[in-house]
Amino acid sequence: MTKLSVNINKIATIRNSRGGILPDVVEAAVNCERFGAEGITVHPRPDERHIRYSDVYKIKKVVTTEYNIEGYPSQNFINLVLDVGPTQVTLVPDAPDAITSNAGWNTIKHKEFLTAVVSQFKNAGIRVSIFVDPCENMVINAAECGADRIELYTEPYASGYEDDGEGAIAPFIKAAEAAVRSGLGINAGHDLSLENLGFFHKNIPNLLEVSIGHALISDALYYGLENTIQLYKRELK
């Protein structure tokens, strides 16, 4: 069964736009799990424009399923993750000013760096996932960096799905097959939605987890958070 991890960054964005504590990201994490999510994802950025480092600690105290912290492995980020001790850390190559993740790692060019970072987290008992484009070489080299999983960057699939679903999914199937051969678990995320999630799930072998934030939180404005989480879980059956 593929787990649904809800990224609650957008809830923090709304809170920060007004100041104060509403909506409460800790309460949101509790409710997401209560409504059926099998994990909570946060992505603290250096400017703390949505999830703050202090939020990461508070949310850790309430998560009862899986806790996934994603971000660029700066020294501050590494220290945070080692201190918090989540279930999983997902390494992304975002620049500090990136609006959102827009590419996967070049696991060949940055192999030495990634190998050292992965080793630190694994020595602390934290599962490590590396964010990659759907490229077989990048997947294979992620395994050589010591990662436990890869997270497939799915924006290219999402943007091409409506016009040509079969064509959009093809490189992801090949990347997933390469992951299986390399002994890697497979996660996926970015721009997955109610419209395209079911087809992706049906076609990707051994998909362990999807991390979804923007589309899910947007849908919750119309359908309610509990109903929306159940709608997404339905697409993963």
Side-chain angles (χ1 to χ4, degrees):
M1 181 176 176
T2 304
K3 293 181 178 180
L4 171 65
S5 184
V6 176
N7 185 320
I8 60 173
N9 275 24
K10 282 299 183 293
I11 293 174
T13 302
I14 298 171
R15 175 199 63 189
N16 294 353
S17 70
R18 183 69 181 264
I21 63 168
L22 296 177
D24 187 330
V25 294
V26 176
E27 183 179 359
V30 171
N31 284 333
C32 285
E33 289 188 323
R34 186 162 64 90
F35 297 152
E38 292 97 358
I40 300 296
T41 292
V42 294
H43 187 151
R45 286 188 162 86
D47 61 5
E48 297 190 312
R49 65 180 179 270
H50 33 61
I51 287 290
R52 300 168 181 152
Y53 274 39
S54 59
D55 295 329
V56 178
Y57 286 96
K58 292 174 184 176
I59 294 166
K60 174 61 163 64
K61 295 178 181 179
V62 302
V63 171
T64 60
T65 55
E66 292 200 349
Y67 194 23
N68 173 44
I69 304 175
E70 56 183 36
Y72 178 81
S74 65
Q75 192 57 55
N76 284 341
F77 179 84
I78 292 171
N79 293 342
L80 172 72
V81 174
L82 291 176
D83 197 29
V84 173
T87 315
Q88 176 176 270
V89 59
T90 300
L91 307 179
V92 297
D94 288 354
D97 60 348
I99 295 175
T100 186
S101 302
N102 55 22
W105 282 98
N106 183 327
T107 54
I108 299 172
K109 180 179 179 180
H110 300 289
K111 181 177 286 187
E112 183 176 353
F113 171 68
L114 287 169
T115 299
V117 172
V118 168
S119 178
Q120 288 188 69
F121 290 133
K122 291 187 71 172
N123 287 340
I126 301 168
R127 187 173 72 225
V128 183
S129 178
I130 296 179
F131 195 65
V132 295
D133 296 318
C135 171
E136 292 175 74
N137 282 339
M138 296 303 132
V139 171
I140 292 167
N141 280 275
E144 293 179 4
C145 291
D148 302 293
R149 297 186 183 184
I150 46 115
E151 178 172 331
L152 292 170
Y153 170 51
T154 50
E155 192 279 334
Y157 161 74
S159 62
Y161 169 76
E162 186 174 349
D163 291 335
D164 181 11
E166 295 290 345
I169 198 72
F172 290 87
I173 294 173
K174 291 182 179 179
E177 290 170 345
V180 172
R181 291 195 301 269
S182 300
L184 289 168
I186 302 168
N187 299 340
H190 206 87
D191 286 351
L192 293 174
S193 67
L194 286 174
E195 288 70 35
N196 59 45
L197 179 59
F199 186 75
F200 187 87
H201 174 254
K202 181 177 70 174
N203 283 280
I204 299 300
N206 298 332
L207 182 62
L208 299 177
E209 174 189 297
V210 292
S211 175
I212 304 177
H214 183 80
L216 189 151
I217 300 304
S218 297
D219 287 333
L221 297 175
Y222 303 102
Y223 308 131
L225 185 59
E226 181 174 9
N227 188 42
T228 297
I229 287 173
Q230 289 302 311
L231 289 172
Y232 275 83
K233 288 187 66 175
R234 187 181 302 169
E235 296 300 314
L236 297 172
K237 292 182 179 177

